[in-house]
């Protein structure tokens, strides 16, 4: 087990990178603490697999350092880093049986035969493949193959960390949920550092204690699922986490707040203070659909908007409203009723209005 | 959809039947025809039954060259298959170096058989051939025209030089088809180089190796021109392989009956061994 630290890391697949666009990972500092269960969340192509392969040593970073417990490991191969990794698509040794597949990493590590037997049995039970141990691995279904693939990652006891690269892509949804719980249990039981790459926020939040959201080659926020939801550090996090994502509105400076179109939004005084000191014109306001309130009657701090559309998602409704030129999504419970094109009155609780300057959240300074 | 039984549909098989007949059955039947009759000339044919077959099987000259042929093909496979795999493993994976390597390795394959024989006939001569001269300079008495062992080694070396590239190219294509993820997983699992070869590369080379073994067996079992040009079958008859014996019998002695009988036996041996190889390899690790 180890603490994994990434220092000023950058990676480009091109030999002669000319601009930031050539980089899959841009200037990144990050620490994965010992024994944590982490998720690395981001859209396809944001650099998360690259980061994982840099940690495991399959890729040499072009710049920066990878430290395991403070020791530089850039030059070490995966075998010397002693790290386990599970890939997106099953990789099995198809001339071997399931048992031999699971025993393979242990055998390579010169684990005594008696211990291998116990360990393989243990992992096979966790993954519920103990009845298939003596089957040839090539005759398994895709699900089972992926379980074997995962098993080979989990079977080693002394690893620095286990990295999962979207391991449940090929697994059907029912089993997905179960295996995710299994991984969590294994983490609690063995206390191994685990990093789980995914583009599915639900998968990330069920597995991990803390989630790193990656966007465009950078980690834009590292926090608990609640933090990511309540205070997205970057407009991308707001948009990516939650369904639907955060309402993000381009705004301009106004007295005591910001405005868009003819709508003026007053802000907290500390937000206004910070805003006065900033020069950037790239201002955005974000508010989660969950936090916008709708009331049938107007009052001093409500804004009149028009109902555009109501989607009934079974347990809640997503209401699309038009406020001036701006479309907003509002989440309401099942009881909400309104006819299309009818006026409603919105209010925006100040504590949920997030101000973004140059895409990053403006936070209150203590 | 209802199926309508109509025997006229059998006519649809006719094109395939004709094709097979012209490509295989009719030429083969002429040989069968000669193998069971004694034919002196037009209209003078006498049915002799299995007589030719009995004679041929008892012929010591043919038995000797059959044994020689098996030994030769055995060595060819034992040397060329592992060597070909080895060469393929050492070749650069991609880029200009890889392409260059491919071209260089493929050169012997582009040389016509009789030219290969001629090249080695000169190359291995002790007086004017670089190879033969070089060996002699090392103090080793080497003379492929006089010494049986030297003649054998030269024929084998020539065949290895000519045909190992084929095995290497087949294996190279097989190796390139292995996804990178397998090597990555092996690296993560801390597999040794040998384990990578044994559990990833070799199992995934199986299908190309079947082709390589079959091709090399059939080709080497039917080898004719190269040793004929190089040694002429000598010294004595020590490098006279089956097809040369057969040719001498059919064209030199015009012994068509026996030659035909022997051709059929020859054909059946090639067929049988190829089938055995194929079945043995494909059934080697069936589901337990």
């Amino acid at each position: 087990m180890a603490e994994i630290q990434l220092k000023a890391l950058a990676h480009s697949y091109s030999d002669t990178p000319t601009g930031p666009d050539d980089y899959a990972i841009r200037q990144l500092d990050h620490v994965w603490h010992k024994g944590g269960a982490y998720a690395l969340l981001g859209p396809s192509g944001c650099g998360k697999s690259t980061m994982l392969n840099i940690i495991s040593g399959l890729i040499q970073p072009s710049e920066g350092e990878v430290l395991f417990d403070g020791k530089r490991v850039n030059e070490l191969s995966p075998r010397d880093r002693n790290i386990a990794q599970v890939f997106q698509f099953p990789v099995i040794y198809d001339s071997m049986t399931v048992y031999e597949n699971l025993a393979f990493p242990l055998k390579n590590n010169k684990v005594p035969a008696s211990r291998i037997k116990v360990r393989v049995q243990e992992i096979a039970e966790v993954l519920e493949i103990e009845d298939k141990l003596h089957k040839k691995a090539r005759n398994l279904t895709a699900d089972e193959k992926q379980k074997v693939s995962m098993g080979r990652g989990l079977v080693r006891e002394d690893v620095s960390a286990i990295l999962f690269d979207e391991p449940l892509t090929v697994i059907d949804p029912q089993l997905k949920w179960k295996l995710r719980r299994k991984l969590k249990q294994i983490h609690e039981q063995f206390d191994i550092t685990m990093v789980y790459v995914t583009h599915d926020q639900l998968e990330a939040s069920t597995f991990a204690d803390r989630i790193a959201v990656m966007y465009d080659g950078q980690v834009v926020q590292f926090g608990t699922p609640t933090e990511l939801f309540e205070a997205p550090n970057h407009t991308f996090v707001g948009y990516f986490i939650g369904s639907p994502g955060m309402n993000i509105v381009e705004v301009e400076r106004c007295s005591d707040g910001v405005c868009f179109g003819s709508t003026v939004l007053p802000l907290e005084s500390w937000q206004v203070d910070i805003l006065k000191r900033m020069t950037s014109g790239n201002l955005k306001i974000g508010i989660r659909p969950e936090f916008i309130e709708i009331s049938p009657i107007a009052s001093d701090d409500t804004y009149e908007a028009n109902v555009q559309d109501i989607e009934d998602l079974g347990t809640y409704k997503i209401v699309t409203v038009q406020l001036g030129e701006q479309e907003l999504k509002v989440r309401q419970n099942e009881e909400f009723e309104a006819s299309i094109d009818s006026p409603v009155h919105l209010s925006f609780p100040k504590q949920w209005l997030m101000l973004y300057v140059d895409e990053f959240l403006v936070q209150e300074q203590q | 959809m209802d199926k309508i039984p109509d025997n006229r549909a059998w006519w649809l098989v006719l094109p395939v039947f004709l094709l097979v007949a012209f490509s295989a059955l009719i030429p083969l039947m002429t040989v069968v025809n000669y193998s069971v009759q004694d034919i002196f000339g037009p209209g003078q044919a006498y049915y002799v039954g299995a007589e030719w077959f009995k004679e041929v099987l008892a012929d010591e000259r043919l038995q000797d060259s059959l044994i020689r042929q098996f030994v030769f093909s055995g060595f060819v496979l034992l040397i060329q298959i592992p060597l070909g795999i080895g060469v393929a493993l050492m070749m650069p994976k991609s880029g200009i170096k890889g392409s260059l390597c491919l071209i260089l390795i493929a050169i012997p394959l582009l040389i016509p058989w009789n030219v290969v024989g001629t090249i080695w006939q000169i190359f291995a001569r002790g007086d004017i051939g670089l190879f033969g001269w070089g060996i002699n300079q090392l103090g080793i008495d080497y003379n492929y025209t006089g010494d049986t062992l030297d003649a054998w080694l030269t024929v084998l070396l020539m065949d290895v030089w000519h045909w190992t590239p084929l095995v290497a190219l087949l294996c190279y294509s097989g190796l390139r088809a292995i996804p990178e993820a397998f090597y990555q997983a092996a690296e993560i699992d801390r597999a040794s180089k040998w384990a990578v070869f044994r559990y990833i590369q070799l199992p995934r080379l199986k299908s190309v190796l079947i082709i390589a073994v079959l091709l090399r067996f059939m080709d080497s079992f039917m080898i004719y021109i190269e040793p004929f040009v190089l040694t002429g079958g000598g010294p004595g008859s020590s490098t006279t392989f089956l097809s040369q014996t057969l040719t001498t019998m059919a064209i030199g002695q015009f012994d068509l009956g026996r030659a035909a009988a022997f051709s059929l036996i020859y054909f059946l041996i090639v067929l049988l061994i190829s089938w055995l190889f194929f079945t043995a390899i494909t059934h080697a690790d069936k589901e337990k």
Side-chain angles (χ1 to χ4, degrees):
Chain A
M1 243 194 294
E3 178 190 270
I4 300 168
Q5 193 184 353
L6 308 174
K7 233 166 130 183
L9 193 75
H11 185 72
S12 169
Y13 286 104
S14 143
D15 289 332
T16 50
T18 47
D21 284 346
D22 287 345
Y23 281 87
I25 289 181
R26 304 177 190 181
Q27 213 58 23
L28 184 150
D29 287 278
H30 195 76
V31 180
W32 307 105
H33 292 286
K34 210 177 247 192
Y38 300 108
L40 188 54
L41 180 67
S44 308
C46 70
K48 42 193 199 325
S49 291
T50 306
M51 194 217 255
L52 212 62
N53 289 339
I54 286 175
I55 296 173
S56 68
L58 292 171
I59 296 180
Q60 291 278 327
S62 2
E63 291 159 36
E65 281 189 312
V66 182
L67 308 172
F68 281 19
D69 285 333
K71 265 206 311 259
R72 180 183 157 102
V73 295
N74 280 37
E75 285 74 27
L76 295 186
S77 67
R79 71 179 68 228
D80 298 320
R81 294 186 194 190
N82 196 13
I83 208 152
Q85 187 172 2
V86 179
F87 298 92
Q88 185 171 6
F89 296 103
V91 178
I92 50 146
Y93 304 112
D94 36 12
S95 61
M96 298 188 201
T97 63
V98 172
Y99 181 92
E100 287 165 334
N101 259 280
L102 293 178
F104 189 61
L106 298 178
K107 246 192 209 155
N108 294 331
N109 279 348
K110 310 260 181 307
V111 175
S114 55
R115 183 67 198 147
I116 292 182
K117 215 169 172 183
V118 174
R119 192 66 191 155
V120 168
Q121 195 62 40
E122 222 172 85
I123 291 299
E125 269 166 37
V126 170
L127 294 171
E128 296 176 12
I129 47 173
E130 66 266 45
D131 55 329
K132 309 223 163 49
L133 278 178
H134 295 288
K135 244 178 133 172
K136 281 264 180 199
R138 86 161 71 95
N139 298 319
L140 300 176
T141 62
D143 277 5
E144 292 164 343
K145 281 183 184 173
Q146 186 62 355
K147 282 192 188 174
V148 173
S149 244
M150 278 169 68
R152 280 209 322 277
L154 298 170
V155 78
R156 281 156 65 185
E157 293 168 281
D158 58 338
V159 286
S160 311
I162 307 181
L163 312 176
F164 298 92
D165 191 355
E166 307 197 30
L168 303 180
T169 308
V170 292
I171 302 223
D172 75 76
Q174 197 93 60
L175 195 63
K176 231 179 200 173
W177 191 83
K178 222 163 122 186
L179 280 178
R180 225 156 40 213
R181 294 297 316 154
K182 281 265 152 63
L183 286 180
K184 183 109 185 150
Q185 277 169 23
I186 291 170
H187 176 255
E188 279 155 13
Q189 201 177 336
F190 300 109
D191 212 25
I192 306 170
T193 316
M194 289 186 179
V195 181
Y196 188 106
V197 164
T198 176
H199 58 251
D200 179 343
Q201 47 172 308
L202 191 75
E203 210 166 288
S205 47
T206 39
F207 173 78
D209 312 324
R210 283 169 79 84
I211 300 172
V213 181
M214 254 187 116
Y215 173 64
D216 213 10
Q218 286 174 305
V219 171
V220 285
Q221 188 166 12
F222 182 49
T224 62
T226 317
E227 285 165 6
L228 296 185
F229 184 77
E230 290 183 351
N233 195 30
H234 186 277
T235 49
F236 173 77
V237 180
Y239 152 81
F240 196 68
I241 306 278
S243 102
M246 195 178 222
N247 294 298
I248 292 167
V249 183
E250 275 180 49
V251 293
E252 284 158 22
R253 285 184 178 78
C254 289
S255 52
D256 294 338
V258 292
C259 51
F260 57 98
S262 57
T263 312
V264 180
L265 286 178
L267 295 176
E268 303 266 17
S269 56
W270 62 266
Q271 284 174 317
V272 176
D273 285 345
I274 293 175
L275 197 55
K276 272 181 192 149
R277 277 182 271 128
M278 300 261 191
T279 52
S280 170
N282 179 4
L283 304 179
K284 283 175 183 164
I285 279 289
I287 184 161
R288 293 245 173 233
E290 288 79 357
F291 299 139
I292 299 179
E293 288 162 13
I294 295 186
S295 63
I297 36 168
S299 65
D300 285 351
D301 55 355
T302 61
Y303 302 85
E304 191 177 302
N306 230 353
V307 177
Q308 300 284 307
D309 184 35
I310 300 176
E311 271 176 275
D312 191 341
L313 295 178
T315 48
Y316 59 91
K317 287 179 176 170
I318 300 296
V319 186
T320 308
V321 296
Q322 183 128 12
L323 177 60
E325 294 290 292
Q326 191 64 47
E327 252 188 20
L328 299 171
K329 304 263 184 204
V330 184
R331 181 166 154 158
Q332 291 288 299
N333 55 25
E334 267 299 272
E335 287 76 50
F336 178 81
E337 294 287 351
S339 47
I340 305 293
D341 241 5
S342 66
V344 286
H345 304 278
L346 309 179
S347 58
F348 306 107
K350 268 188 183 172
Q351 77 268 31
W352 299 124
L353 276 178
M354 302 288 147
L355 174 64
Y356 294 93
V357 177
D358 290 333
E359 311 299 331
F360 280 93
L361 180 66
V362 170
Q363 275 162 314
E364 186 167 15
Q365 274 135 17
Q366 263 105 36
Chain B
M1 205 179 75
D2 285 328
K3 281 186 180 165
I4 307 156
D6 187 340
N7 279 326
R8 279 177 305 173
W10 283 105
W11 287 109
L12 295 174
V13 185
L14 195 64
V16 176
F17 180 77
L18 285 178
L19 196 70
V20 174
F22 276 105
S23 72
L25 291 179
I26 293 173
L28 199 61
M29 284 319 287
T30 46
V31 181
V32 173
N33 186 36
Y34 274 102
S35 73
V36 292
Q37 301 187 76
D38 200 353
I39 299 176
F40 296 105
Q44 283 181 288
Y46 303 94
Y47 180 72
V48 294
E51 195 62 35
W52 294 131
F53 288 90
K54 280 181 199 154
E55 270 187 38
V56 159
L57 287 173
D59 187 335
E60 270 183 33
R61 200 160 52 109
L62 283 173
Q63 287 171 358
D64 286 349
S65 82
L66 181 65
I67 291 167
R68 239 175 266 136
Q69 187 65 69
F70 270 116
V71 173
F72 178 72
S73 288
F75 273 118
V76 161
L77 291 181
L78 280 178
I79 298 169
Q80 293 182 6
I81 298 294
L83 190 61
I85 297 174
V87 169
L89 285 173
M90 282 186 293
M91 279 166 69
K93 285 196 177 90
S94 58
I96 187 85
K97 273 194 213 154
S99 315
L100 211 65
C101 226
L102 278 176
I103 295 169
L104 284 178
I105 278 184
I107 286 177
L109 294 174
L110 304 175
I111 301 174
W113 285 260
N114 47 358
V115 177
V116 171
T118 315
I119 288 175
W120 280 83
Q121 205 230 7
I122 296 169
F123 187 48
R125 275 175 67 152
D127 49 358
I128 56 165
L130 182 63
F131 177 73
W133 178 82
I135 298 280
N136 280 328
Q137 287 303 303
L138 291 175
I140 300 162
D141 184 25
Y142 166 81
N143 176 10
Y144 72 87
T145 54
D147 187 273
T148 307
L149 182 67
D150 289 352
W152 261 85
L153 289 177
T154 314
V155 173
L156 269 175
L157 190 63
M158 174 181 63
D159 201 73
V160 167
W161 175 80
H162 194 185
W163 289 112
T164 307
L166 177 75
V167 182
L169 290 187
L170 283 169
C171 290
Y172 186 72
S173 73
L175 285 174
R176 292 292 77 73
I178 301 173
E180 192 54 32
F182 282 86
Y183 295 111
Q184 293 184 338
E187 178 73 22
I188 296 282
D189 288 340
R190 298 174 131 191
S192 63
K193 273 221 160 99
W194 165 249
V196 170
F197 174 70
R198 171 69 188 79
Y199 297 111
I200 295 175
Q201 293 171 323
L202 199 56
R204 278 163 183 270
L205 279 183
K206 206 173 86 178
S207 49
V208 290
L209 280 179
I210 292 176
I211 298 172
V213 166
L214 284 180
L215 280 180
R216 284 317 301 132
F217 167 74
M218 289 191 294
D219 260 1
S220 66
F221 205 77
M222 298 186 284
I223 191 167
Y224 175 67
I225 296 173
E226 293 145 292
F228 181 71
V229 175
L230 179 67
T231 63
S237 58
S238 59
T239 55
T240 308
F241 298 115
L242 265 188
S243 50
Q244 197 185 329
T245 311
L246 182 62
T247 310
T248 315
M249 191 185 277
I251 295 167
Q253 305 161 354
F254 217 68
D255 210 348
L256 290 184
R258 280 202 274 162
F262 192 69
S263 299
L264 287 177
I265 295 172
Y266 199 167
F267 165 63
L268 289 176
I269 292 173
V270 174
L271 196 66
L272 177 73
I273 307 272
S274 299
W275 178 79
L276 280 178
F277 269 132
F278 185 76
T279 334
I281 300 175
T282 47
H283 287 242
D285 49 4
K286 271 257 156 121
E287 174 66 21
K288 284 178 200 170

